[in-house]
Amino acid sequence: MSERPSRMTSRPTGLQVALMLVGVAIIFAIDTFAPLDIAIAVLYAVVVIASADFLGRRGILLVCAVCVLQTLLSFAIVHGESLQSGPVLRALIGLCAIGIATLAALRNRKAAESLSDQAALLDLSHDAIFVRDATDVITYWNAGAEELYGWPRKEALGQKSHALLKTKYLPSAGTMEQLDDSNRWQGELVHTRRDGTEVWVVSRWAVQRDERGRPFATMETNSDITEQKHAEDALHHARSQLEHVTRISTLGELTASIAHEVNQPLAAILTNGEAGLRWLLRDKPNLEEVRRALERMISNGRRASEVITRLRALARKSNPSHTVLTLNDIVADVIPLVEREMLNNDVGLRLDLQAPAPPVLGDRVQLAQVVINLVVNAIHAMSQIDDRRRLLSINSGTSLEDSNSQMAVLEIEDTGTGIDPKIAGDIFTAFQTTKADGMGMGLSISRTIVESHGGSISATSGDRWGALFRIRLPALQQDEVAAAAEQAY
């Protein structure tokens, strides 16, 4: 059988061969010419074992044969004429030592070649794979790691991996202390290549422990997800742009209501200003009435300012900013903006808001966009109804997810046409709309926003008519409220 090639088998150097020949010659000389009554031939075993470091199977067998012949030749020269038991026994001991050493060398060589071939398979992987010891020193570095990070194997070996790669842990990734019972860990990391660029990877660790349970080696497999992350960032940017466009479109539908909300306090300011001026122009100015008129002007000015502030918040493009708030706060922000729309469509409003409402962590503008979308949809769904009262009901409350989890709930119900069974399963799908001039993005974006807050949104038809939309968000515990407030501060 021909010897299987191995990545460990390499041509021996001249120095290695020379040292081996010198060793064999020295042992032969001592065994033949030194007046020692000991089994000098046992030393050939050292030569056989040493040859396994740079010779293959055939080379080891050749060295074994040479050592056996040298032993027999030395015996023939020294004891050829008289076969005494002592010299024969020493020769047999030497031959046994050579044979045992050869078997051990062949076995170790086979095991080393097997490990080397397995390591060669790791070089076929497109993933970056490396092994580090308990002190984080790299002991193995495959071809995939060379390609991904840029450091060749000879430069990476012996380096501390976290220092070489400048490992950055994401807050959600945790660290090695959070290994599970199977001694495995997986998470996303950020590494730095040799050229200084950063690369995102999905990292999987497998830890090997000693008999005392202490880790002594870790194999780390890293898959490059940098392009995926860039695509996710681009998708997030496009989604933000679409959210902004939808929000502006919704505000456009509420132009009359918004104009009313601004004009009403402005008209009140004008009326109170004229009244205050008349009280001052009397022969005996009534300063108390003037003071009251000024107070009413200030109150209405603040009201107009609050409306404009809410509109600016909804109209501007900005990154989400999560703060502690309640769903009641969101309703309070939205109602003034839709009052005129309800009035124009003869829609009544019924509020049933839980007090105190459970706090949630959310972006005020995004959640207001969700509620505005649902309320405007409800108003439009009732605009053609003539055989029953047009009523918009908004209820807030809580529900228990389990013994340790509470959800804040907001329900928006109308008495409109309800949900068409044909599209009930796709109501939150993008571009699904029943409006002739609708984009079909409002409910899809609303679901995206709610789910990004860790909640859910659902829609069902009413018992008799109309539709019921339910928003559920995780309620904060007291310690979470304090932590969120401290972080915001």
Side-chain angles (χ1 to χ4, degrees):
M1 181 181 294
S2 61
E3 183 177 358
R4 182 183 60 182
S6 168
R7 70 194 295 263
M8 284 190 62
T9 303
S10 58
R11 189 179 299 276
T13 64
L15 178 60
Q16 290 172 327
V17 174
L19 289 175
M20 183 181 65
L21 293 176
V22 169
V24 171
I26 292 174
I27 295 172
F28 177 78
I30 295 174
D31 192 24
T32 304
F33 302 110
L36 300 175
D37 293 332
I38 57 175
I40 299 298
V42 172
L43 297 177
Y44 285 120
V46 177
V47 175
V48 174
I49 293 174
S51 68
D53 289 338
F54 55 88
L55 293 178
R57 183 174 178 272
R58 289 180 178 178
I60 294 172
L61 291 175
L62 179 60
V63 171
C64 171
V66 170
C67 291
V68 169
L69 291 175
Q70 293 279 70
T71 301
L72 294 176
L73 179 60
S74 177
F75 179 82
I77 293 173
V78 179
H79 306 288
E81 297 180 357
S82 59
L83 298 177
Q84 299 178 2
S85 60
V88 171
L89 181 60
R90 289 195 295 271
L92 290 176
I93 292 174
L95 292 174
C96 288
I98 294 171
I100 293 173
T102 301
L103 291 175
L106 289 173
R107 181 175 297 177
N108 290 339
R109 185 67 192 182
K110 183 178 180 181
E113 288 179 349
S114 177
L115 291 175
S116 177
D117 291 342
Q118 292 176 19
L121 290 176
L122 295 180
D123 277 340
L124 300 178
S125 172
H126 293 293
D127 292 335
I129 303 174
F130 60 89
V131 178
R132 44 191 169 85
D133 62 18
T135 61
D136 194 39
V137 173
I138 299 172
T139 58
Y140 173 76
W141 188 262
N142 82 330
E146 290 184 340
E147 181 179 355
L148 178 60
Y149 297 118
W151 281 282
R153 182 179 286 110
K154 63 181 180 180
E155 293 185 20
L157 295 180
Q159 300 283 341
K160 288 186 177 292
S161 68
H162 291 336
L164 181 70
L165 302 176
K166 300 178 182 177
T167 304
K168 295 180 183 178
Y169 291 90
L170 301 183
S172 59
T175 58
M176 189 171 178
E177 286 74 18
Q178 296 175 329
L179 290 167
D180 59 24
D181 294 336
S182 62
N183 290 320
R184 297 181 182 276
W185 178 90
Q186 178 171 329
E188 293 184 2
L189 303 174
V190 179
H191 285 154
T192 301
R193 294 188 178 100
R194 187 178 188 180
D195 60 8
T197 59
E198 289 190 338
V199 55
W200 287 73
V201 298
V202 171
S203 187
R204 296 173 292 277
W205 300 357
V207 178
Q208 192 172 10
R209 299 182 183 271
D210 58 21
E211 63 278 1
R212 297 183 180 180
R214 296 174 300 187
F216 69 88
T218 302
M219 184 174 74
E220 186 170 329
T221 304
N222 296 327
S223 303
D224 185 4
I225 58 169
T226 305
E227 292 300 323
Q228 176 185 333
K229 282 295 180 182
H230 289 165
E232 289 177 358
D233 290 342
L235 179 61
H236 175 73
H237 178 71
R239 182 180 295 158
S240 298
Q241 295 279 54
L242 187 57
E243 286 180 11
H244 180 249
V245 170
T246 305
R247 194 157 59 235
I248 294 299
S249 176
T250 303
L251 290 178
E253 296 181 26
L254 300 175
T255 302
S257 180
I258 293 170
H260 172 76
E261 279 302 307
V262 175
N263 284 331
Q264 194 174 42
L266 291 179
I269 291 172
L270 181 61
T271 300
N272 284 288
E274 293 174 345
L277 184 59
R278 286 196 300 271
W279 288 112
L280 283 174
L281 293 177
R282 285 192 170 194
D283 295 336
K284 187 178 180 180
N286 190 331
L287 298 182
E288 180 62 23
E289 291 294 340
V290 173
R291 183 184 65 80
R292 292 175 183 173
L294 291 175
E295 288 176 348
R296 289 191 294 268
M297 291 173 64
I298 293 172
S299 176
N300 282 282
R302 288 174 177 170
R303 178 183 171 188
S305 177
E306 289 172 0
V307 172
I308 294 172
T309 299
R310 285 196 294 267
L311 288 173
R312 291 182 61 187
L314 286 168
R316 70 170 179 262
K317 288 193 295 184
S318 61
N319 294 325
S321 176
H322 288 201
T323 58
V324 177
L325 46 82
T326 70
L327 291 177
N328 290 1
D329 297 332
I330 302 301
V331 173
D333 288 345
V334 169
I335 293 303
L337 300 179
V338 298
E339 279 183 338
R340 176 56 56 174
E341 192 74 10
M342 287 190 291
L343 181 62
N344 291 341
N345 288 276
D346 193 25
V347 174
L349 176 64
R350 182 174 63 193
L351 294 178
D352 184 8
L353 305 180
Q354 176 183 344
V360 299
L361 189 65
D363 181 84
R364 199 178 191 109
V365 172
Q366 286 190 334
L367 293 178
Q369 178 178 354
V370 172
V371 176
I372 287 176
N373 281 335
L374 298 181
V375 169
V376 170
N377 285 346
I379 294 172
H380 291 172
M382 294 184 286
S383 61
Q384 303 301 320
I385 298 299
D386 297 320
D387 59 345
R388 57 182 175 271
R389 184 186 178 191
R390 302 174 186 177
L391 179 64
L392 174 67
S393 300
I394 302 179
N395 309 317
S396 69
T398 57
S399 67
L400 288 178
E401 188 77 7
D402 52 50
S403 58
N404 298 319
S405 178
Q406 190 180 51
M407 304 294 287
V409 180
L410 184 68
E411 295 180 343
I412 299 174
E413 185 176 11
D414 62 64
T415 58
T417 55
I419 300 174
D420 187 346
K422 295 180 181 179
I423 65 170
D426 302 320
I427 193 170
F428 292 102
T429 303
F431 307 112
Q432 181 66 251
T433 181
T434 58
K435 299 179 182 179
D437 56 348
M439 293 189 299
M441 293 303 300
L443 291 180
S444 175
I445 290 175
S446 295
R447 181 178 65 177
T448 300
I449 292 174
V450 173
E451 290 180 350
S452 71
H453 284 71
S456 64
I457 182 172
S458 60
T460 58
S461 293
D463 294 336
R464 297 181 59 189
W465 46 63
L468 171 64
F469 285 82
R470 181 179 290 108
I471 300 170
R472 301 169 75 251
L473 296 177
L476 297 178
Q477 303 297 327
Q478 290 299 324
D479 55 340
E480 294 175 320
V481 173
E486 182 178 350
Q487 183 177 5
Y489 178 78

